[in-house]
Amino acid sequence: MDMNSKKWWQNSVVYQIYPRSFQDSNGDGIGDIQGIIKRLDYLQELGIDAIWLSPVCRSPQDDNGYDISDYQDIDPMFGNLDDLEQLISEAKKRNIRIIMDLVLNHSSDEHRWFTEAKKSKDNPYHDYYVWRDGEEGVYPNDMGSAFGGPAWEWVPELKQYYFHQFSVKQPDLNWENPKVRREIYDMILWWMDKGVGGFRLDVIDQIAKEPDLKITNNGPRLHEFIQELSRETFQKGDLITVGEAWGADIDRAKLYSKPDGSEFSMVFQFEHMMLDQEPGKEKWDFCPLPFVKLKKCLEKWQKELHGCGWNSLFWDNHDLPRIVSRWGNDREYRVEAAKMLATVLHGMEGTPYVYQGEELGMTNVRFDSIEQYQDIEIRNMYRERLEKGYAEKDIMESIYAKGRDNARTPMQWDDTENAGFTTGTPWLGVNPNYTEINARSQLQDENSVFHYYKKLIHLRKENSIFVDGDFTLLLPEDENIFAYVREYEGRKLLVAANFTDKEVECPLLKEWGVPADEDGAAKSRDNGVKLLIHNYNDLPSQQKLRPYEAMIWEKAETGTEI
Ligand code: GLC
Ligand code: CA
């Protein structure tokens, strides 16, 4: 293997599991840790190096586990600590590390710290949270929570409000209090002792909030807090750490992912994922993807972090709709589009993330009624917008396009009842297309999206240029083609993709000496080019790319063996 000098997590591919939707093992309709253990062989086959586990800690599940009531225990719904330790060791046997999701901006209101804090103003835990004196009905200010309604909740016994950037059941922790920070560090060290491979830091850019100044993310003490956190915990191990930061710009990203490890391994930022939202409006107000902007945005991140930071590469996660439905095609070209999107993403510099089901080309879902949706964000938005007079039909369209439950329908394992996810009633409906889109059939079909992801993952491992190479965007103004070159020490890769469902002109292939005819394979060697991966089975033409066609070519300097 052509290993380079980079850190292990730079050569890695991370797979995200949303545990409640992955695999149920006991028929209660909810995925669990034993279910994950059963599917480790599948993940090993795919070739991933680490699993980011969305939260499995004890929680009242108001926001599906992003509201933790005990950071050092597992929610019985998912299993117990022994199950988790078994998962860590079973994964380790397969060279897979487990990344835990750390939700440190807020806890659950059922966490002992909060139930204590609520007892009185002089309770030792009171100052673990963010309080303001006030009068009932007169909010400290007009800040709103991310899930709708005000960011302040009245506690009559104390005649105080507490601050919550998310739901009422997710009170914000007070990072200004050194005791809070110490408790958090001790908890993290405890997890490190258990042998976890790393951490994903939930909405970490929001911990240094300053509600009086109406500051939520990027507060003045943010990087001071993160550097202390990193010094006291992560730097004592060889971990992968990834900071979720919706509000990161390039300069902050460089701090988060500084190569000296003073903060995290990498940043997980969303600039490219917010481009199909109407400027200044909410995510529900969507617009067509400005494709040229997408390319320029990704180019900026590629260039600016090269050599001085590290990015996560992703299209999907548990908060985002399915990429093949969103920016690809989930009908006649679903397979081609899913592979194309993967090619473009995995060809770049950074650590790729695969969200469960993405490797099958799983799609968005359209449930008939709001009752079939479970997500707190969807339900609150539906109620609010109805009250504001939006038409029900339009609200449902927003949910179909952007709702988080699109990504949370159960994993589609096979074509048996409930897609092989559970023998009981699934907590959220299975997407009816599971009879067609499922892991079992894709494992048997070498042309499947699954096998394409597997190939891409291996390709990346065998070619360090994917990690080291610099990035040049080609045809920047082209409305259809996404193409770029990666270059490292005389080696060059061309990634070329058609982002549309039409056949489009592509001048690049001829320039690159890509062969024109059927015996091209032989000729291509003479031209010094080699096809590394392609989502069509026959050779491309020199002039045109077919719908969603994508490929990666390698070219070596003349005289170099490839
Ligand atoms: C992050 C999580 C999301 C959660 C929120 C509050 O954005 O990814 O699922 O609702 O933080 O914890
Ligand atoms: Ca279960």
Side-chain angles (χ1 to χ4, degrees), residues 23-32 77:
Q23 176 69 66
D24 180 20
S25 72
N26 61 354
D28 66 356
I30 302 170
D32 46 52
M77 166 192 291

Side-chain angles (χ1 to χ4, degrees), residues 353-386:
Y353 285 69
V354 180
Y355 177 70
Q356 65 183 46
E358 180 188 334
E359 78 281 15
L360 306 176
M362 274 177 63
T363 68
N364 282 349
V365 71
R366 293 172 77 94
F367 291 131
D368 295 331
S369 118
I370 186 68
E371 301 309 320
Q372 289 165 281
Y373 287 92
Q374 302 289 340
D375 178 26
I376 181 171
E377 186 186 52
I378 291 180
R379 287 176 164 245
N380 289 354
M381 180 282 281
Y382 179 87
R383 218 184 29 243
E384 275 191 9
R385 289 206 162 187
L386 267 190

Side-chain angles (χ1 to χ4, degrees), residues 63 66 106 147 166 200 202-203 244 318-319 404 408:
D63 183 20
Y66 284 92
H106 44 267
F147 296 154
F166 294 90
R200 178 258 186 185
D202 188 64
V203 291
E244 185 202 22
H318 64 293
D319 296 327
R404 304 196 295 183
R408 300 177 179 185

Side-chain angles (χ1 to χ4, degrees), residues 525-541:
R525 238 169 280 128
D526 301 339
N527 294 358
V529 290
K530 182 169 128 193
L531 185 57
L532 297 186
I533 194 164
H534 184 204
N535 66 347
Y536 276 70
N537 281 333
D538 48 345
L539 277 169
S541 92

